[in-house]
Amino acid sequence: MNLPEGLSDLAERPRNIWAQAGQNQRYAILGGFVLVFLALFIGVMALGGNGEEWEPAILYANLDYQEAAEISNRLGAIGIDYKLTEDASTIVVPKDQVRDLRLQLAGEGFPKSGRMGYEIFEEAQLAMTDFLQKVNFQRALQEELEETLMDIEGVRNVRIHLVIPEPSLFTEEQNPVTASVTLALVSGTKLKPKKIDAIAHLVGASVEGLDVENVVIVDSEGNMLTEEKDPLVNLANKQFRMQQQVEYALEKKVQTLMDEVIGKDRSKVRVNVELDFSQQDRQEQVVTPGATQVIISEETNEKSSAEQGTEEQAIRNYEVNRTVRNIIGSVGSINRLSMALTIDKTKVIWNEETEVYEEENRPQEEIQNLEKLAKKAVGFSDERGDQIEVFPMLFDKSQDIQAKREAKAEERQQFWTDIAINVAKILLIIGALVVLRFVIKAIGRGVGMEEELEVLGEVQTEVDAEDDFERPETPHEIILRRVQDMVRDRPEDSAKLIRTMLLEEQQ
């Protein structure tokens, strides 16, 4: 079949490109065709996969990863379409299959960790009694609260039980609404009292008629997290926590100071404080007599007699300078402080002569200076009767010395390794320069040969072209031609010229 000239060129062009391409270029062309085919295939599949759409509905929510995987595998095994949320805790299935799937999976023991919450009311039941409605409402409320508390940082799992009594006709006989909360915390997490109070207030505000005092919170180990209702017990607990906080703050001050001065794990400190929680109200009056001359009252008496005449007596009352002070003592002030400080008796030094780490006794002056630092850190006062004891003791430093020896060995090894790497780099650079020199020479020789070949080609071209046109004469050829003409036309003059030139050379 004869094709037009343009179409024939188009058909031959890919063949020529394929014939002229190298092996790597052919692989690249084949890979490009494969990628384009895969992209088209995926696009067609994606467009064709949107044909099946179903209305989603929540099957189970707040599942842990293990149970979500089990239920997903089970749904896939029975051929049910499902979707997982981004956090893989909620499973969504077609809405018309929710009820049947819940019944089927309930017979198999699912779910174990999920909560349904208010989703339980999505299934409308015609024959539902008031009692069942109340039970479902209480269940939904409990599970909604559990789901809310699960979002708190540090809380791994929550169980809530509400006791909502039936309303009574008489207010005196009405039982209060109560709630119990069990928190399973993340390992190593300890909730602060403010966060525990916030949880109690959240639960109390979410349930009608529930007072915060009737909310009990415990952890998974059975420890009471809410405070006692007895005011005296609460007061004692607060005072004890305050004492612990003061002791911890003072210990941290001294410990961080010692760690920075003599090293970590080279000292231990313990502080005991006695706090004064009594509130004292004291009034002081300071009287300064004679400070002012202000008369506040004056009484004059006169006596008359024949012998002494008239006598006059005056009684004056002056204002007294008085200062009144009402002093209220602070609650929780430190009455007395005692501290025990244990310091490592020896320290590790590097011996330059033997090149090993050795233990050396700490000077007594250094121990005394450390004691002074500790006193300044805690605000030591002799007037309060504070006490401090420093105990120099031997600490186990075998691991410390071994670690320092290994670090020293690593440092030396790293030093020689760096030297070896730098030497290798220099040798590689020298080798690369030598190779580059040979390459440049080879390239130069190749370029020279190419130039020679080009010159030879040009000469050969000129020789071949002499038959086509006359080559122009050179100056030498012009002079030679003129000399020949002169000899031929004027031989006598030429002979005289030659004799004259010979005589000049002889002279």
Side-chain angles (χ1 to χ4, degrees), residues 480-497:
L480 183 60
R481 182 173 55 77
R482 290 180 180 181
V483 171
Q484 290 176 355
D485 294 341
M486 182 179 177
V487 172
R488 185 177 59 253
D489 296 339
R490 294 183 295 176
E492 295 178 358
D493 294 338
S494 300
K496 290 179 181 180
L497 180 60

Side-chain angles (χ1 to χ4, degrees), residues 70-82:
E70 293 177 358
I71 296 177
S72 299
N73 293 334
R74 181 56 182 157
L75 293 176
I78 60 180
I80 301 297
D81 295 332
Y82 67 92

